[in-house]
Amino acid sequence: MTPKLLPGILAMAIIVVASNILVQHLFGQWLTWGAFTYPFAFLVTDLTNRFYGAPAARRVVWAGFATGVACSLAGTQITGEAGPLVTLRVALASGTAFLAAQMLDVTVFDRMRTGAWWKAPLVSTLLGSSLDTALFFTIAFSATLSFIEPANDVSWAGERLALLGVGPAAPLWVSLAAADWLVKLALALAALVPFRLILARSNAKVA
């Protein structure tokens, strides 16, 4: 690990740990507090990519993945009222979604790095966030993947309710995914502000 990557690795680790803790606490009916911290992992990846290139960004992603795995393993050993805080399906979903989404972000950002300063971080984050949401909620809660952990009853997630309380009937986990996705889209736009400010502060070329 090179010293120049240490800030990015530490920032990624902090975001992953914080998100793993905050995901245990609800924010309203459809979200957890973790939904508001995890998207900033894309900001860390994109800044690393801009300053040091795609290979360096992938190393930061792998560090975040390792941190996430450690958090999941720890969560499986902590028992709450409904059983382990982290089940096998959730751990698998979290790790798969994080790694796939972050690596997609790195690839898209790298291919768009020569365009206008905002295009690479915005497009890569939107695509990565969308993939992250789709993979996590499908793997963790879809009834079609119940074979992953048959002993883990996630039938509650399949209860059909109005989408986000106002739309057509859909499994509960689809509403959870939709709310999560909307927050990620909003934060992808918001993250352009610190992205630009940090680039300007470092005198990086942004156009």
Side-chain angles (χ1 to χ4, degrees):
M1 180 184 70
T2 58
K4 66 183 181 181
L5 295 184
L6 186 57
I9 289 174
L10 289 176
M12 181 67 81
I14 290 171
I15 291 170
V16 170
V17 171
S19 298
N20 273 272
I21 294 172
L22 293 174
V23 77
Q24 307 295 330
H25 303 281
L26 291 174
F27 176 84
Q29 185 176 1
W30 311 109
L31 294 166
T32 70
W33 281 102
F36 299 94
T37 55
Y38 170 73
F40 287 100
F42 291 99
L43 175 62
V44 174
T45 302
D46 290 345
L47 285 170
T48 304
N49 205 336
R50 173 59 73 190
F51 290 138
Y52 306 118
R58 292 189 183 97
R59 287 196 288 273
V60 170
V61 169
W62 279 110
F65 177 73
T67 303
V69 170
C71 288
S72 293
L73 291 175
T76 61
Q77 303 304 309
I78 301 174
T79 302
E81 294 181 0
L85 292 183
V86 179
T87 65
L88 172 63
R89 282 189 70 173
V90 168
L92 179 62
S94 179
T96 301
F98 177 88
L99 192 59
Q102 292 290 331
M103 289 302 183
L104 176 62
D105 178 277
V106 172
T107 299
V108 173
F109 187 105
D110 190 49
R111 292 183 179 179
M112 300 185 69
R113 67 168 57 252
T114 58
W117 72 268
W118 56 269
K119 287 185 178 180
L122 181 60
V123 175
S124 65
T125 299
L126 289 178
L127 291 177
S129 296
S130 298
L131 180 62
D132 181 89
T133 297
L135 285 176
F136 175 78
F137 284 94
T138 301
I139 295 172
F141 302 118
S142 174
T144 59
L145 298 178
S146 60
F147 64 87
I148 293 175
E149 191 178 15
N152 177 22
D153 181 15
V154 294
S155 58
W156 59 268
E159 181 183 0
R160 296 187 69 82
L161 301 170
L163 183 63
L164 293 177
V166 295
L172 172 60
W173 70 267
V174 175
S175 287
L176 299 176
D180 180 82
W181 183 66
L182 290 173
V183 169
K184 285 175 180 171
L185 295 189
L187 290 179
L189 292 171
L192 290 176
V193 175
F195 185 90
R196 175 73 185 201
L197 291 175
I198 292 171
L199 288 186
R201 190 178 182 84
S202 66
N203 296 318
K205 184 178 180 180
V206 298

